[in-house]
Amino acid sequence: MLEEIRLQAEQAAAELLEAAHLKKGNLIVIGCSSSEISDHRIGSHSSEEIGQAVFSAIYEVFKAQGIYVAAQCCEHLNRALILEREAAELYGYEPVSVVPQLKAGGSFASAAYRIFKEPVAVEAIKAHAGMDIGNTLIGMHLKAVAVPVRLKTNRIGFANVVAARTRPKYIGGVRACYEDSRE
């Protein structure tokens, strides 16, 4: 089952990468409930193995393209995020002091903390795209205009997968012209 979950996570990440038109240095937020993946209520059956499998699969896809991954912690850490110090410094996010654990932060964020070269926690970000695996509510960490992205891979294990990209705000009214024509 872990290999199937890993493949689903990798496929969903690859689909989002293509659909969101992300560029090197962009930031993506991922929220993940290992409980939902294993067909349990969110926060009730955290699995270190599932968190590790999903994070490593997703991280490999985005890291290969130079895209920073931010792993959203669970509600027990107020949905703080774990990311590389380099990304936090690049975007001006101030680190806070916390280390995610299985029952406070979750298995996905804990895996990120172990895998990142120099992990830090921050309280909030404004990401260019995001993926929500298992109803973790990542919307607060996306830029202002989020556009839904339909993925063919809309489940990882038993968890629903919802994705989004962002775009600049359209301003100026009916006479304005816009650069972003991806919609």
Side-chain angles (χ1 to χ4, degrees):
M1 181 173 170
L2 277 180
E3 186 55 30
E4 183 179 343
I5 287 168
R6 181 177 169 69
L7 289 172
Q8 291 169 338
E10 183 180 329
Q11 182 62 38
E15 290 176 35
L16 180 56
L17 178 66
E18 183 178 337
H21 305 285
L22 297 170
K23 297 174 181 71
K24 184 177 181 178
N26 281 171
L27 182 60
I28 185 161
V29 59
I30 311 289
C32 176
S33 169
S34 61
S35 299
E36 290 282 333
I37 290 171
S38 63
D39 201 23
H40 294 93
R41 187 178 51 80
I42 192 169
S44 65
H45 284 80
S46 296
S47 165
E48 208 168 316
E49 295 80 15
I50 290 174
Q52 176 78 28
V54 174
F55 180 80
S56 61
I58 289 171
Y59 181 59
E60 288 171 17
V61 170
F62 292 110
K63 183 180 179 187
Q65 300 301 315
I67 295 163
Y68 295 109
V69 174
Q72 180 181 270
C73 296
C74 69
E75 65 183 294
H76 297 97
L77 294 186
N78 297 330
R79 292 189 177 83
L81 303 118
I82 306 301
L83 64 158
E84 289 283 11
R85 180 176 300 280
E86 178 181 322
E89 289 174 357
L90 175 69
Y91 286 101
Y93 301 135
E94 185 174 341
V96 294
S97 184
V98 70
V99 176
Q101 305 296 314
L102 193 60
K103 294 291 185 181
S107 64
F108 187 79
S110 296
Y113 197 88
R114 286 190 306 274
I115 290 172
F116 284 153
K117 186 174 96 176
E118 195 175 354
V120 296
V122 300
E123 289 185 286
I125 64 170
K126 292 295 178 191
H128 299 92
M131 187 183 320
D132 184 320
I133 305 165
N135 307 314
T136 60
L137 302 175
I138 61 160
M140 69 185 84
H141 296 303
L142 292 171
K143 289 184 173 220
V145 182
V147 179
V149 173
R150 284 189 176 266
L151 303 178
K152 289 179 188 169
T153 308
N154 59 11
R155 296 184 82 72
I156 296 176
F158 292 93
N160 292 323
V161 176
V162 177
R165 65 175 178 85
T166 62
R167 65 160 176 78
K169 294 178 183 180
Y170 292 157
I171 63 167
V174 295
R175 295 185 196 182
C177 296
Y178 305 108
E179 293 177 5
D180 188 359
S181 61
R182 292 180 283 168
E183 293 185 81

